[in-house]
């Protein structure tokens, strides 16, 4: 049934052909998830793995303020009995996330492997002639720092699932996270200076934004998701909330745009400061808490 | 050192931003290679793995007649001692192939895994206002079938390497294959009806082109690379020659264009016929020889 990856994804030619809106840039990112490293099939189903893989990749488009055009999925599946079922389960989850995010799967490849691995490339654009794609490096001293929602729900959900409980809303946050595509686009149009998604932990991703911008920050508060601890909010990955840096008055206008668009009110968490050595939460140095790849 | 995939690839933001030439379509494809399935580190070095991964993906752009714009590389590397070195070795090979093909790496991700896996998404375009991207499905009865070069060198090289020999030119064909990007672009401009790259075996890829076009074929000959057997030419993958279907007179003009452009003269191997049941080599049914993914 899965004789060929392209055919498995319902695609026929060697490559997909897409037409971008005239004059609009292409925004592209790749992300991968690996069994035993990023997920455990004892704690989530194949469909969850596919969903999380696509949403995690789409979150990088959200952090640029881009609108998705399509995704290419490389699926590596363990051989042996039942593997076709596993591949189809993952692909079903990819398809659900694809529909939810309005991002069609335009390319795919299926390979045998010893470990389930899903690498997703997402393609997007900046469709509206508004401000360009937002990077991590534009934060300025005096900017306010906002986050699009409380953090830690995914980590709390993982803790619940590991304890043998379903975890309710936090379990769902872990299994079926949602990329903040609308929030990212609204933030870009609203003139945000810098943006990053909370994929590896609020603390670590804040440090990354500050590193890229050559600035420091002073945090007043950490918004903690219901059911999560402050540690989970700071160090838990896969929340996919967005952190925004922008000037104070624009932040007020932006907050109204978020609410008008049906999003939650962004939460003010602190201020950008000039000195890159200053990285404080409640007056103390904030460690680089979060998911660190164990390589190198 | 490889704390974060984006930084490991020298990239800073959540996604890459590219501007396509005005009005030109985007062509995109993904391909992955997995240790123990697609390669064996006893027979090729990490740099070869990176090179082969990018060139294999680029071959799909060649088969569409597209010009590369950039690649996104998801690298999954076994944990433990020496893994940083392995990742850097693979990335060095990717960089060499990138330079050779004129395809910059614009995005990347590095993950831990238990098995070395490289998934490469390639992005290209049709830059010249000429004919559109070429698919597999346009072959017409009466078309001639051409291949851009003799096949089987990669399979012969693998055989030599497995026997403990270096394999000379065939070893190089296995370790450092080259995507026929120029040939594909010339063929598209020359009015080819359908095209496919020989990634999984000449026989299997011919069947796929015929399947997609709803036609049959009658082959007169199989061009066998020096050092290879006819079986290796028919069933060996990773040659990355292109198979072209086009009308006879255009084929003659195209052959001149190939030679004028510094490419080898395409080799005429047979004819497309109307009946999709007819798939013959020297009067006998041609089996679907080649790399078959073992899933499903």
């Amino acid at each position: 049934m899965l004789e060929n990856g392209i055919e498995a994804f319902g695609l026929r030619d060697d490559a997909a052909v897409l037409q971008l809106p005239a004059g609009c840039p292409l925004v592209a990112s790749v992300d991968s998830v690996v069994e035993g490293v990023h997920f455990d099939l004892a704690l989530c189903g194949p469909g969850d793995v596919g969903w999380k893989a696509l949403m995690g990749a789409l979150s990088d488009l959200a952090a640029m303020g881009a609108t998705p055009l399509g995704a290419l999925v490389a699926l590596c599946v363990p051989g042996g009995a039942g593997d076709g079922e596993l591949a189809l389960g993952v692909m079903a989850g990819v398809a659900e996330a694809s529909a939810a995010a309005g991002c069609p799967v335009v390319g795919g490849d299926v390979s045998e492997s010893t470990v389930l691995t899903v690498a997703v490339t997402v393609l997007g654009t900046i469709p509206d002639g508004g401000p360009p794609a937002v990077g991590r490096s534009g934060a300025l001293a005096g900017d306010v720092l906002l986050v699009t929602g409380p953090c830690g729900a995914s980590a709390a959900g993982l803790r619940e699932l590991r304890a043998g409980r379903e975890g309710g809303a936090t379990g769902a946050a872990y299994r079926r996270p949602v990329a903040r595509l609308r929030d990212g686009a609204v933030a870009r149009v609203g003139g945000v200076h810098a943006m990053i998604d909370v994929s590896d932990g609020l603390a670590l991703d804040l440090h990354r934004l500050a590193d890229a911008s050559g600035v420091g920050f002073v945090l007043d508060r950490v918004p903690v998701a219901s059911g999560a601890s402050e540690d989970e909010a700071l160090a838990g990955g896969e929340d996919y909330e967005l952190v925004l840096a922008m000037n104070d008055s624009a932040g007020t206008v932006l907050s109204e745009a978020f609410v008008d668009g049906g999003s939650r009110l962004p939460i003010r968490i602190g201020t950008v400061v000039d000195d890159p050595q200053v990285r404080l939460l409640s007056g103390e140095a904030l460690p680089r808490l979060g998911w660190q790849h164990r390589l190198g």
Side-chain angles (χ1 to χ4, degrees), chain A:
Chain A
M1 177 166 26
L2 300 175
E3 179 255 347
N4 181 282
I6 290 172
E7 290 153 30
F9 280 94
L11 307 163
R12 292 293 290 271
D13 286 316
D14 289 296
V17 180
L18 303 172
Q19 193 70 51
L20 270 69
C24 295
L26 175 67
V27 183
S29 182
V30 64
D31 208 4
S32 44
V33 295
V34 180
E35 185 180 0
V37 178
H38 300 96
F39 63 87
D40 177 347
L41 280 173
L43 302 178
C44 60
D48 299 325
V49 173
W51 174 288
K52 284 161 68 84
L54 181 55
M55 281 295 182
L58 283 169
S59 181
D60 287 322
L61 291 188
M64 305 288 288
T67 298
L69 289 173
L72 299 101
V73 181
L75 178 55
C76 304
V77 194
D83 50 5
E85 198 176 330
L86 178 57
L88 291 172
V90 174
M91 285 155 62
V94 169
E96 288 174 61
S98 162
C103 178
V105 175
V106 298
D109 179 70
V110 181
S111 289
E112 187 177 342
S113 180
T114 50
V115 57
L116 179 59
T117 303
V118 192
V120 179
T121 297
V122 285
L123 308 175
T125 192
I126 305 294
D128 49 26
V134 181
R136 298 177 174 181
S137 62
L140 300 172
D143 279 356
V144 292
L145 287 167
L146 304 165
V147 62
T148 53
C151 296
S154 176
L158 177 58
R159 167 172 49 80
E160 290 291 298
L161 292 166
R162 281 180 172 154
R165 295 185 289 268
E166 276 300 308
T170 60
Y174 174 73
R175 285 176 159 157
R176 298 277 166 154
V178 176
R180 272 53 167 194
L181 288 159
R182 182 177 59 190
D183 292 356
V186 170
R188 176 180 55 77
V189 172
V192 68
H193 292 159
M195 192 151 55
I196 192 169
D197 63 316
V198 182
S199 54
D200 291 341
L202 178 60
L204 181 55
D205 288 316
L206 268 167
H207 276 287
R208 287 175 175 157
L209 183 142
D211 292 345
S213 296
V215 297
F217 55 76
V218 174
L219 300 187
D220 313 315
R221 58 173 299 206
V222 174
V224 180
S226 174
S229 68
E230 184 173 274
D231 273 359
E232 285 167 342
L234 283 170
E238 299 186 2
D239 284 320
Y240 301 125
E241 298 294 350
L242 301 176
V243 172
L244 325 175
M246 62 195 316
N247 72 45
D248 200 347
S249 58
T252 306
V253 175
L254 181 68
S255 294
E256 289 167 14
F258 265 63
V259 175
D260 290 349
S263 293
R264 292 168 303 184
L265 194 66
I267 304 161
R268 188 171 170 146
I269 57 172
T271 311
V272 176
V273 299
D274 194 48
D275 184 349
Q277 304 299 320
V278 174
R279 309 275 177 101
L280 302 176
L281 168 61
S282 306
E284 307 211 354
L286 179 69
R288 296 178 76 93
L289 299 169
W291 170 267
Q292 297 272 3
H293 299 259
R294 289 187 289 272
L295 295 170

